[in-house]
Amino acid sequence: MVSPSRKSRRVLTQASASRERSLIPIGMATILPRSARQVRRLEGQLLTQIGRWGYDEIILPTFEYLDVLAPGLESELLETCYQFVDRTTGRTLLLRPDATAQVARTVAMGLTGGRFPQRLAYRTSVFRYEPEHAGRGREIFQIGAELIGVKDVTGDAEVITILIECLQSIGLRSFTIALGHVGFIKGLMTRSGLSVPAQKRAEQAAAKKDLPRLEEILKAEGITKSAAMAIREAPELTGGKDVLNRGRVLAAGDPVLLEPLERLEELYRLLGSAGYADSLLLDLGEFRGVDYYDGAVFDVFAPGVGAELGGGGRYDHLIGRFGTDLPSTGFALDVDRLFRAITFPEETDDVSRIDYLVIGPGRLVSRVSAVAAQLRRRHLRVAQQTINKVADRLLVSAIQAGQAQEARAVVVVGMPGQDRDDEILLVEHLVNQMDPTGNGRPRRPKTKRTSLTALVNAVQSHRS
Amino acid sequence: MVSPSRKSRRVLTQASASRERSLIPIGMATILPRSARQVRRLEGQLLTQIGRWGYDEIILPTFEYLDVLAPGLESELLETCYQFVDRTTGRTLLLRPDATAQVARTVAMGLTGGRFPQRLAYRTSVFRYEPEHAGRGREIFQIGAELIGVKDVTGDAEVITILIECLQSIGLRSFTIALGHVGFIKGLMTRSGLSVPAQKRAEQAAAKKDLPRLEEILKAEGITKSAAMAIREAPELTGGKDVLNRGRVLAAGDPVLLEPLERLEELYRLLGSAGYADSLLLDLGEFRGVDYYDGAVFDVFAPGVGAELGGGGRYDHLIGRFGTDLPSTGFALDVDRLFRAITFPEETDDVSRIDYLVIGPGRLVSRVSAVAAQLRRRHLRVAQQTINKVADRLLVSAIQAGQAQEARAVVVVGMPGQDRDDEILLVEHLVNQMDPTGNGRPRRPKTKRTSLTALVNAVQSHRS
């Protein structure tokens, strides 16, 4: 999906990026371990949720030939793409600016087979010259789903339901789905007698909720006052069911305008009966500003994030641009914005990066390896290291190394008097582990002579 | 890591790509659901294995400024990169051609902090104009690990051990790790008095095991016969421990040549004592042809794949090109080649794409949704659909839809006489499910009137 930008009305305070992020120069979006772990967990949760609805992931190429993908991309979007010449063929390549167009191309080429409906999911990056994404450079992580071959309203309800379940599954408590139908405002414009290029400009202004610009375009075209008033009113029609009643008044019996309203009402009713009414905001001006949408469309917003977290809609004629029409609908979520919108569970007092660091003198390298391997077999995260220190410095060095590695505990082999393969010294409470008795002081490292067998058994019993 | 190509000696029969793949036009590497599932499973297994050793994933940007990354890339590699001008800044961008250089840049900039050793992992794509990768276009999936800040041989042993464990964890039964040290053959060349440019050319010829070309270069430079013979012999020195003895003869007491041999011997011994001797092939000509490697290096090969599956080595001075030297070593695996090298477990007779398709007449859409939601809550993959057919066509349509969706079973709601919310008709044995009694004929769909409660309980008890 394409995220059109700058809906002035909705621009809320920009949440500050995490501290880790702010170290990264603009345009070089390296995601460091702690964030990467959270991003991957987020991706996993979203794809699992989407997968439960029978959607299969496909992996899309990072770049494509421009001439192949261009039918799915409007000229405005093409201007924000990264393009370059393929040295091998002389043809122009472009970095994927939009996943939905790629999926449409793939389906139209028959690559996903000829049986419908098809349910496809993806996790990918899209690339655009977009100043708003400055924080993460211009590489935008997306996760999305496309339902190909379902024409009736249950298809729209399905993708919106999945979207809502996705947001709930990652713990996003408060969000709003603005729901509209591009047919309504487009119908108003067509009826008013706007010229084709003026309508295109007016649609863009309406998509951005830029009412002064919309006013200006309507004036310049000299359309009737009542038609202009109806067009200007549409982007302001947001709220509950009464919005549809006002829409019907503006439609004045015109079936071209009544049909989108009926479809929207049916969709609103279906989602409401599933218990989602509180998350919905009808918006007769909503149409995402992307030219391939031609039915029900939606955007998701959350407090504290100044742009939509995602959105989608129906595109019954996009696949037709690459072949034969197939009624379809889908959504995508912007992983980076989701990341900023959700509150991650409080880190527990155990902030260790690894479970154990196994450490010993260089001459015992094989023993260090064997001990570490045995712990890893219990699915623990275990780093290993040898150090060359005299015996009485071994423990101090081991503790320092364990702290540097943010280990939960250190296992020392080869301490004086511990010569058997099974003997170890266990050091716990290394870093940032507060004393649970509550005086707020960090615990001091605690050492214990024990055996590997005892440690492994403790791990097992702790698990079961 | 960079995969240098064309080692004529090792080019085995190219395994045919899977049937699904061959549908995809060259350069447009869409990976379809069945393969995507296997690729993601493979990635997950590899990253889990690497993670157990305490390596943290970082996520690297897809493109970078050329001038920032260039110090890590040799001119030969730069020629095979995708480059383009950034419209915003006028600077040249390049699609990541190599992950190790990016990691080095990241570490040198201090983004990963100042405590060492650091253990970093990545899953990413690299992009190069490379005809050999025609099957997957020029986007190469890699998974890799980098160990930053360990100078001694235990670091080399660690990354090779992880590499071996990775290959074992994905079920690759037969593979060989060619293990060498760039210091040996480079030392021979330096000692021979080759000019600097000639040495560069000779190194490339040796990396590709192109002996006629190597011969030619040595002849043109007019170096002594014995020095030339030693250089020519090195790429042929492959095998077990005796290779090291022959190397010592060629070293003729020169410490510059003896040191790499000693290091290699220590590494070989460590890996051997861990039980990996059978997978190792010492190769004194091995040096991967990438200029940032400066210590022990290795490549992995498997029968049936005509190029290395991955490899890596020590790069003690690469990070220094971006800042301060840090002794480091790492490896990467080519996911696409691994995918071709491993045999996936035989598909069972149950090839269903989803567990259930829940289906019913349009008027019961809420009931269809509720039944599907309850099954999904049991972590099943469930698609849903409404159809508008007269009652006596409902069952036939439901079975057809279930077959088209490759469902394991269909749950029909609203069959004649089934009016209560809990009543369902279960249809099993839909597609490609052979009769286990063994006559080889597909089973016929089997219908059963039951309740949702009974179905859910059956799922639960089947699990526990």
Side-chain angles (χ1 to χ4, degrees):
Chain A
M1 72 122 212
V2 173
S3 340
S5 26
R6 288 175 303 270
K7 303 209 171 175
S8 50
R9 190 168 59 99
R10 285 165 180 154
V11 173
L12 308 171
T13 351
Q14 184 84 5
S16 64
S18 76
R19 265 164 303 160
E20 194 173 70
R21 285 298 193 55
S22 64
L23 290 172
I24 301 164
I26 286 170
M28 306 178 56
T30 304
I31 303 179
L32 299 174
R34 204 173 292 272
S35 301
R37 201 153 48 236
Q38 290 167 331
V39 165
R40 295 303 191 197
R41 195 183 305 137
L42 206 63
E43 287 182 357
Q45 287 168 327
L46 295 172
L47 281 167
T48 299
Q49 198 61 39
I50 294 169
R52 293 229 174 97
W53 284 76
Y55 286 68
D56 290 316
E57 188 184 353
I58 59 172
I59 303 176
L60 301 162
T62 300
F63 53 77
E64 296 222 15
Y65 291 122
L66 172 64
D67 54 358
V68 173
L69 198 61
L73 307 170
E74 63 192 311
S75 53
E76 219 190 18
L77 180 62
L78 279 173
E79 279 166 28
T80 67
C81 291
Y82 291 88
Q83 301 183 14
F84 49 103
V85 173
D86 180 18
R87 245 191 282 154
T88 316
T89 61
R91 290 163 75 184
T92 301
L93 295 167
L94 87 173
L95 292 185
R96 167 202 313 123
D98 183 58
T100 301
Q102 266 193 317
V103 172
R105 190 267 302 158
T106 305
V107 171
M109 288 172 77
L111 297 184
T112 54
R115 293 198 287 194
F116 298 92
Q118 285 177 7
R119 290 177 167 87
L120 301 170
Y122 58 84
R123 73 180 113 182
T124 197
S125 298
V126 300
F127 303 89
R128 281 183 235 139
Y129 286 101
E130 271 194 72
E132 304 94 281
H133 278 92
R136 232 205 84 71
R138 290 144 306 175
E139 173 168 0
I140 305 148
F141 284 15
Q142 286 190 345
I143 285 194
E146 310 289 352
L147 174 57
I148 318 284
V150 176
K151 196 173 175 50
D152 68 42
V153 70
T154 61
D156 305 274
E158 173 166 325
V159 297
I160 295 170
T161 303
I162 299 173
L163 171 62
I164 291 172
E165 287 187 4
C166 276
L167 298 175
Q168 290 174 336
S169 77
I170 60 171
L172 189 68
R173 277 175 214 127
S174 173
F175 56 86
T176 301
I177 295 178
L179 181 63
H181 191 301
V182 297
F184 183 72
I185 192 163
K186 281 195 177 182
L188 283 177
M189 288 178 182
T190 309
R191 191 174 67 174
S192 76
L194 273 177
S195 67
V196 174
Q199 174 155 353
K200 181 81 193 161
R201 290 197 305 277
E203 286 175 7
Q204 285 163 1
K208 292 173 187 163
K209 305 266 179 193
D210 185 347
L211 297 188
R213 171 93 184 109
L214 182 59
E215 182 90 46
E216 201 179 282
I217 295 163
L218 298 178
K219 231 177 216 158
E221 288 278 307
I223 59 173
T224 69
K225 204 172 162 187
S226 65
M229 271 180 65
I231 294 171
R232 275 203 317 271
E233 189 179 341
E236 303 276 19
L237 285 176
T238 63
K241 242 188 116 175
D242 45 339
V243 159
L244 296 168
N245 297 331
R246 180 62 195 155
R248 279 198 191 87
V249 173
L250 295 179
D254 183 344
V256 173
L257 292 166
L258 288 174
E259 203 197 293
L261 294 175
E262 271 155 34
R263 177 82 170 207
L264 204 49
E265 181 162 34
E266 211 182 334
L267 179 56
Y268 190 71
R269 192 182 49 75
L270 270 178
L271 293 169
S273 75
Y276 299 134
D278 287 353
S279 302
L280 299 177
L281 179 81
L282 285 172
D283 181 345
L284 292 192
E286 172 71 56
F287 68 116
R288 296 188 55 72
V290 181
D291 76 344
Y292 56 64
Y293 290 118
D294 49 20
V297 288
F298 48 92
D299 272 333
V300 195
F301 295 91
V305 183
E308 67 275 23
L309 300 179
R314 181 164 281 282
Y315 50 94
D316 287 351
H317 303 285
L318 174 59
I319 297 176
R321 297 187 195 171
F322 300 100
T324 310
D325 273 346
L326 270 167
S328 302
T329 176
F331 74 89
L333 286 164
D334 182 315
V335 174
D336 202 57
R337 289 177 183 168
L338 278 183
F339 189 83
R340 280 184 275 146
I342 63 178
T343 316
F344 288 96
E346 285 290 312
E347 297 277 0
T348 61
D349 67 341
D350 182 358
V351 293
S352 52
R353 205 183 57 75
I354 51 175
D355 295 309
Y356 293 101
L357 174 68
V358 179
I359 204 160
R363 64 184 165 83
L364 296 179
V365 56
S366 294
R367 222 165 109 189
V368 168
S369 292
V371 168
Q374 207 164 329
L375 291 168
R376 275 183 211 114
R377 248 173 262 134
R378 267 69 190 177
H379 295 190
L380 296 164
R381 276 172 64 89
V382 183
Q384 64 186 69
Q385 191 171 331
T386 56
I387 43 178
N388 290 311
K389 295 283 179 189
V390 287
D392 63 344
R393 291 287 301 160
L394 180 59
L395 180 57
V396 173
S397 303
I399 291 174
Q400 284 167 352
Q403 287 169 336
Q405 295 290 299
E406 298 170 59
R408 183 157 60 79
V410 172
V411 173
V412 191
V413 305
M415 284 294 287
Q418 293 203 303
D419 298 323
R420 282 188 299 120
D421 277 1
D422 197 44
E423 289 177 312
I424 59 166
L425 179 76
L426 183 66
V427 190
E428 293 179 302
H429 309 161
L430 284 173
V431 262
N432 293 336
Q433 293 166 340
M434 289 300 148
D435 189 338
T437 59
N439 59 13
R441 280 178 307 192
R443 289 175 173 183
R444 295 183 53 193
K446 194 182 103 187
T447 62
K448 181 180 159 192
R449 283 180 178 255
T450 178
S451 70
L452 179 60
T453 311
L455 179 61
V456 167
N457 288 342
V459 170
Q460 299 278 61
S461 67
H462 184 73
R463 290 253 163 110
S464 58
Chain B
M1 71 123 211
V2 172
S3 340
S5 23
R6 288 174 303 269
K7 302 210 173 175
S8 49
R9 190 169 58 102
R10 285 163 179 157
V11 173
L12 309 171
T13 351
Q14 184 84 6
S16 62
S18 76
R19 266 164 303 159
E20 195 171 68
R21 285 297 192 56
S22 63
L23 291 172
I24 300 164
I26 287 170
M28 306 178 57
T30 305
I31 302 178
L32 299 175
R34 204 172 293 271
S35 301
R37 203 155 43 238
Q38 290 167 331
V39 165
R40 294 303 191 198
R41 195 182 304 136
L42 205 62
E43 288 182 357
Q45 287 168 327
L46 296 172
L47 281 167
T48 299
Q49 198 61 40
I50 294 169
R52 293 230 175 97
W53 285 75
Y55 287 68
D56 290 315
E57 187 184 354
I58 58 171
I59 303 176
L60 302 161
T62 300
F63 53 77
E64 295 223 17
Y65 290 121
L66 172 64
D67 55 358
V68 174
L69 198 61
L73 307 170
E74 63 191 311
S75 53
E76 220 190 19
L77 180 61
L78 278 172
E79 279 166 28
T80 68
C81 290
Y82 291 88
Q83 301 184 12
F84 50 104
V85 173
D86 180 18
R87 245 191 282 155
T88 315
T89 62
R91 290 164 74 184
T92 301
L93 295 168
L94 87 172
L95 291 185
R96 168 203 312 123
D98 182 60
T100 301
Q102 266 194 319
V103 172
R105 189 268 302 159
T106 305
V107 172
M109 288 171 77
L111 296 184
T112 54
R115 292 199 286 194
F116 296 94
Q118 285 176 7
R119 291 177 167 87
L120 300 170
Y122 58 85
R123 74 180 114 180
T124 198
S125 298
V126 299
F127 303 88
R128 281 182 235 138
Y129 285 102
E130 270 194 72
E132 305 94 280
H133 278 91
R136 232 206 85 71
R138 292 146 302 177
E139 174 168 0
I140 305 149
F141 283 14
Q142 286 189 345
I143 285 194
E146 311 288 353
L147 174 56
I148 318 286
V150 176
K151 196 174 175 52
D152 69 41
V153 71
T154 61
D156 305 273
E158 173 166 327
V159 297
I160 295 171
T161 303
I162 300 172
L163 172 62
I164 291 172
E165 288 187 3
C166 276
L167 298 175
Q168 290 173 336
S169 76
I170 59 170
L172 189 68
R173 279 174 213 128
S174 173
F175 56 87
T176 300
I177 295 178
L179 181 62
H181 192 300
V182 297
F184 182 72
I185 192 163
K186 281 195 177 183
L188 283 177
M189 288 178 181
T190 309
R191 189 175 67 175
S192 76
L194 272 177
S195 66
V196 173
Q199 174 155 352
K200 181 80 193 160
R201 288 197 305 275
E203 287 174 8
Q204 285 162 1
K208 293 173 188 164
K209 305 267 179 193
D210 185 348
L211 296 188
R213 172 91 185 112
L214 181 59
E215 181 90 47
E216 201 180 283
I217 295 164
L218 299 178
K219 231 176 216 160
E221 288 277 308
I223 59 173
T224 69
K225 205 174 162 186
S226 66
M229 270 180 66
I231 294 172
R232 275 203 316 269
E233 188 178 343
E236 304 275 20
L237 284 176
T238 64
K241 242 188 118 175
D242 46 337
V243 159
L244 295 169
N245 297 331
R246 180 63 196 156
R248 279 198 191 86
V249 173
L250 295 179
D254 183 344
V256 173
L257 292 166
L258 288 175
E259 202 196 293
L261 294 174
E262 271 155 35
R263 177 82 171 207
L264 204 50
E265 180 161 36
E266 212 182 334
L267 179 55
Y268 189 72
R269 191 181 50 72
L270 269 178
L271 292 170
S273 75
Y276 299 133
D278 287 351
S279 303
L280 298 177
L281 179 81
L282 284 172
D283 180 346
L284 292 192
E286 172 71 56
F287 67 113
R288 296 188 54 71
V290 180
D291 77 344
Y292 56 63
Y293 289 118
D294 48 21
V297 286
F298 48 93
D299 272 332
V300 195
F301 295 90
V305 183
E308 68 274 24
L309 300 179
R314 181 164 281 283
Y315 50 95
D316 285 351
H317 303 285
L318 174 59
I319 297 176
R321 297 188 195 172
F322 300 99
T324 310
D325 272 347
L326 269 167
S328 303
T329 176
F331 74 89
L333 286 164
D334 182 316
V335 174
D336 202 56
R337 289 177 182 167
L338 278 183
F339 189 84
R340 280 184 275 149
I342 62 178
T343 316
F344 288 96
E346 286 289 313
E347 297 276 359
T348 61
D349 67 341
D350 182 357
V351 293
S352 51
R353 204 183 56 76
I354 50 175
D355 295 309
Y356 293 100
L357 174 68
V358 179
I359 204 161
R363 64 185 165 83
L364 295 180
V365 55
S366 294
R367 222 165 108 188
V368 167
S369 292
V371 168
Q374 207 164 330
L375 291 168
R376 274 183 213 114
R377 248 173 262 134
R378 267 69 192 177
H379 295 190
L380 297 164
R381 277 172 64 89
V382 184
Q384 64 186 68
Q385 191 171 331
T386 56
I387 43 176
N388 290 311
K389 296 281 179 190
V390 287
D392 62 345
R393 292 287 302 161
L394 180 60
L395 180 58
V396 173
S397 303
I399 290 174
Q400 284 168 352
Q403 288 169 335
Q405 294 290 300
E406 297 169 59
R408 184 157 60 79
V410 173
V411 173
V412 191
V413 305
M415 284 293 287
Q418 293 203 304
D419 299 322
R420 281 188 300 121
D421 277 1
D422 197 43
E423 290 177 311
I424 58 165
L425 180 77
L426 183 66
V427 190
E428 293 179 302
H429 309 161
L430 284 173
V431 263
N432 293 334
Q433 293 166 340
M434 290 299 149
D435 189 337
T437 59
N439 60 11
R441 281 177 306 191
R443 289 174 172 183
R444 296 183 53 193
K446 194 183 104 187
T447 62
K448 181 180 159 193
R449 283 179 179 256
T450 177
S451 70
L452 178 61
T453 311
L455 178 61
V456 166
N457 288 342
V459 170
Q460 300 279 61
S461 67
H462 184 74
R463 290 253 162 108
S464 58

